[in-house]
Amino acid sequence: MYNHILVALDLGKETDTVLNKAVALQQVSSCKLSMIHIIEPISYAYGGDIPMDLGEVQQQLEDRSTNKLEELKNSRQLTNTDCSVLVGRPESEIHHFAEENNVDLIVVGSHGRHGLQLLLGSTANGVLHGAKCDVLAVRVHQ
Ligand code: AMP
């Protein structure tokens, strides 16, 4: 059905729901699964406001996220699965990763928001717009 599924995980409460759906699809397709988490550069948020080297803090955040992804992978004994932590804006990094790695399905969580909030862009909405492959928005309850 699919050859390479990409699941984007925010590592929050909805992670299990979104990952479970992606793993089920991986199993029926017998395909590769990539799990990614994106971290916003701390300098975007704090710019020059904090008089310290943020590189180390950024590295700690990246290491912690990498460990969490690996834990999720190991707890489900996933094979043919890789984990990546990237730095940037979630939508752009997800699109970029998908194009670079011939992903044919992107799985994200969606809160099913309505109206302006949806227009102004949840991550799922941002991923859907501009994606060059199928996108599955998994309904998660808040
Ligand atoms: P949001 O619209 O930000 O509530 O997020 C909806 C979905 O987008 C999440 O369930 C994830 O699938 C994905 N997502 C949001 N933020 C990130 C992130 N930092 N890294 C990877 N995926 C994310």
Side-chain angles (χ1 to χ4, degrees), residues 12-23:
K13 276 186 287 186
E14 56 210 54
T15 290
D16 279 334
T17 311
V18 177
L19 180 58
N20 288 347
K21 198 53 80 76
V23 169

Side-chain angles (χ1 to χ4, degrees), residues 8-10 14 18 36-39 90 94 107-111 113 121-124 127 140:
L9 302 168
D10 64 3
E14 56 210 54
V18 177
I36 59 168
H37 175 70
I38 292 100
I39 302 178
I94 291 166
V107 180
V108 288
S110 166
H111 298 292
R113 294 184 189 117
S122 64
T123 308
V127 171
V140 285

Side-chain angles (χ1 to χ4, degrees), residues 4-9 11 19 26 32-38 62-86 97 101:
H4 187 178
I5 298 174
L6 170 64
V7 61
L9 302 168
L11 300 178
L19 180 58
Q26 177 196 24
K32 181 172 178 183
L33 178 68
S34 292
M35 301 162 60
I36 59 168
H37 175 70
I38 292 100
E62 288 179 42
D63 292 346
R64 211 169 59 185
S65 301
T66 303
N67 290 342
K68 277 197 196 166
L69 287 181
E70 291 291 341
E71 270 171 33
L72 287 166
K73 176 184 161 182
N74 294 337
S75 67
R76 286 167 169 77
Q77 297 175 319
L78 298 177
T79 53
N80 201 9
T81 299
D82 55 46
C83 304
S84 310
V85 173
L86 305 171
F97 185 100
N101 295 280

